[in-house]
């Protein structure tokens, strides 16, 4: 072995053994990446979103031959939803999965999938989000922000209401209830229509707000209720299915366009494929969680959704949001849901 080559080999070997001893073996590999991309979200590492994101990151690294290092920051490590939205807009982080409720604060059409009691089932949801309604929203995002959205929405599940005081079986049960909702005019308007007292609290503070009774209840999909352990501070879970909740996988345009086309294609394909797998995971998980949380003492009840729709029609909720979203967006929504107002 040539002396210079041998010296370099020994140096490399000693670095590798030191790295292996400290558990930092990935450091030299990631240092070689041409593009280091940060992806942030607010969910725990155990949620299907992050399980699939880690798998996606590994596939992107392998297919790009180490040129792209996608780093996953779960659990609100990089801030609240509003913080992370600001950071992805500024390019401080590259990707962020955003709920329609939060996206609506930036792009009005972004929250149209969150209209209360609109989608009756998943068949309607995916037909709309993978079809013309989703395309319309992506176009609005690209036209009005520094961001873009990948083609496939990720799933968060239908949202259910949990409470510490009483179950929700009919619209009147909401009257006067202090209910945490996301920071979204649409969510606030929905529960005001049922005469509740909705309050916006950042996701990271919801558990303690429920524990200290600042709020009586909250609403989220079962996967979130379970992973965040809301069953420890809430007694009832009412299966209202009041809103389908998903995630747009958003990217910063400038950051993404710095990569050559072949790498953009690898990232895009893997993000969309991971999203499709995550949808299957969330549906399966939600089906298993009811039994699991019943075992932890939570009481579940079904509701009659038609009674809630009737109340929303009577309160003018659908008419108001039809005006706000405009006729084009509303017509695309009703193409999949049927007539709402």
């Amino acid at each position: 072995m040539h002396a210079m080559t041998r010296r370099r080999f020994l140096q490399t070997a000693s670095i590798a053994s030191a790295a292996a001893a400290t558990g930092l073996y990935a450091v030299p590999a990631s240092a070689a990446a041409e593009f280091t991309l940060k992806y942030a979200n607010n969910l725990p590492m155990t949620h299907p979103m992050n399980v699939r994101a880690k798998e996606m990151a590994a596939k992107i690294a392998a297919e790009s031959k180490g040129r792209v290092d996608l780093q996953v920051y779960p659990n609100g490590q990089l801030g609240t939803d509003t913080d992370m939205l600001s950071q992805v807009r500024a390019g401080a982080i590259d990707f962020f999965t955003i709920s329609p409720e939060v996206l609506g604060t930036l792009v009005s059409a972004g929250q149209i999938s969150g209209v209360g009691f609109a989608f009756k089932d998943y068949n309607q949801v995916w037909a709309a989000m993978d079809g013309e309604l989703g395309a319309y929203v992506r176009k609005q995002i690209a036209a009005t922000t520094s961001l873009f959205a990948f083609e496939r929405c990720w799933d968060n599940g239908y949202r259910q209401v949990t409470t510490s005081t009483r179950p929700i079986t009919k619209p009147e049960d909401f009257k006067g209830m202090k209910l945490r909702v996301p920071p979204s005019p649409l969510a606030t308007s929905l529960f005001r229509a049922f005469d509740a007292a909705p309050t916006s609290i950042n996701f990271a503070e919801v558990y303690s707000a429920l524990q200290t009774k600042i709020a009586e209840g909250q609403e989220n999909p079962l996967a979130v209720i379970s992973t965040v352990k809301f069953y420890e501070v809430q007694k009832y879970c009412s299966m209202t299915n009041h809103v389908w909740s998903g995630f747009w996988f958003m990217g910063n345009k400038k950051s993404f366009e710095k990569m050559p086309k072949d790498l953009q294609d690898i990232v895009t394909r893997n993000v969309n494929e991971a999203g499709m797998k995550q949808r299957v995971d969330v549906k399966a998980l939600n089906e298993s969680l009811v039994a699991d949380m019943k075992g932890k003492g939570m009481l579940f009840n079904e509701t009659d959704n038609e009674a809630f729709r009737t109340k929303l029609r009577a309160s003018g909720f659908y008419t108001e949001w039809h005006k706000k979203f405009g006729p084009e967006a509303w017509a695309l929504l009703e193409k999949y849901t049927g007539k709402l107002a």
Side-chain angles (χ1 to χ4, degrees):
M1 191 181 278
H2 187 276
M4 189 63 195
T5 312
R6 180 177 164 76
R7 190 180 309 134
R8 186 164 294 148
F9 171 80
L10 290 171
Q11 282 174 341
T12 306
S14 70
I15 289 167
S17 63
T22 56
L24 295 174
Y25 195 69
V27 173
S30 65
E34 283 174 59
F35 301 95
T36 301
L37 305 173
K38 290 183 182 178
Y39 160 50
N41 63 67
N42 66 10
L43 292 176
M45 204 59 233
T46 51
H47 190 280
M49 174 186 279
N50 283 312
V51 174
R52 289 298 181 183
K54 290 294 275 186
E55 181 184 279
M56 170 183 89
K59 287 178 83 172
I60 288 169
E63 289 178 31
S64 70
K65 299 185 171 53
R67 292 171 70 197
V68 181
D69 176 24
L70 181 80
Q71 300 176 347
V72 181
Y73 293 86
N75 224 17
Q77 283 177 22
L78 301 186
T80 65
D81 278 358
T82 37
D83 292 337
M84 289 188 279
L85 179 56
S86 299
Q87 289 178 68
V88 77
R89 289 178 75 191
I93 58 180
D94 304 282
F95 302 117
F96 170 45
T97 23
I98 189 170
S99 67
E101 298 85 7
V102 180
L103 178 58
T105 61
L106 190 63
V107 179
S108 176
Q111 63 184 331
I112 195 163
S113 59
V115 169
F117 295 93
F119 294 113
K120 292 183 178 71
D121 56 39
Y122 268 119
N123 290 338
Q124 288 187 350
V125 167
W126 297 130
M129 304 318 288
D130 291 339
E132 288 178 58
L133 187 65
Y136 175 84
V137 173
R138 288 196 307 278
K139 195 173 159 191
Q140 301 300 310
I141 293 166
T144 55
T145 69
S146 56
L147 307 174
F148 71 97
F150 288 93
E151 290 81 7
R152 299 292 180 226
C153 269
W154 292 42
D155 194 15
N156 197 12
Y158 272 91
R159 299 178 84 90
Q160 319 297 352
V161 175
T162 69
T163 57
S164 57
T165 46
R166 61 182 178 273
I168 303 297
T169 58
K170 54 191 185 299
E172 294 74 23
D173 294 331
F174 276 119
K175 195 169 175 64
M177 180 173 280
K178 287 184 291 182
L179 191 74
R180 181 271 171 181
V181 298
S184 141
L186 182 56
T188 303
S189 159
L190 172 64
F191 291 103
R192 283 215 180 111
F194 297 130
D195 304 312
T199 176
S200 287
I201 299 168
N202 248 315
F203 186 75
E205 290 143 31
V206 177
Y207 185 98
S208 60
L210 297 170
Q211 194 173 33
T212 56
K213 304 289 195 286
I214 287 169
E216 290 169 71
Q218 63 84 46
E219 49 80 60
N220 259 300
L222 292 176
V224 176
I225 293 166
S226 173
T227 47
V228 187
K229 300 185 177 178
F230 284 148
Y231 53 77
E232 294 176 346
V233 287
Q234 301 272 270
K235 185 174 179 180
Y236 305 100
C237 182
S238 303
M239 300 292 281
T240 50
N241 289 314
H242 54 277
V243 164
W244 170 74
S245 181
F247 292 102
W248 286 106
F249 202 109
M250 310 280 282
N252 179 283
K253 277 184 211 164
K254 277 188 184 161
S255 152
F256 193 67
E257 285 163 5
K258 282 179 187 164
M259 289 191 294
K261 180 76 168 65
D262 61 325
L263 297 184
Q264 288 180 25
D265 290 345
I266 288 170
V267 172
T268 299
R269 190 180 67 258
N270 279 290
V271 168
N272 286 331
E273 281 176 9
M276 295 300 281
K277 289 175 185 172
Q278 187 263 0
R279 291 179 185 183
V280 177
D281 296 344
V282 168
K283 192 167 187 293
L285 177 62
N286 282 342
E287 286 162 6
S288 71
L289 285 175
V290 174
D292 180 61
M293 288 193 279
K294 274 182 181 171
K296 293 182 164 77
M298 199 166 219
L299 303 175
F300 283 76
N301 67 279
E302 298 297 323
T303 58
D304 171 17
N305 286 9
E306 208 42 59
F308 291 88
R309 278 191 201 99
T310 302
K311 173 75 172 165
L312 291 180
R313 284 188 191 107
S315 73
F317 172 82
Y318 291 129
T319 309
E320 176 197 346
W321 285 95
H322 183 170
K323 276 185 200 147
K324 287 189 174 169
F325 286 121
E328 187 186 358
W330 195 262
L332 287 173
L333 175 66
E334 288 191 331
K335 177 177 176 177
Y336 300 97
T337 63
K339 197 95 176 88
L340 293 171

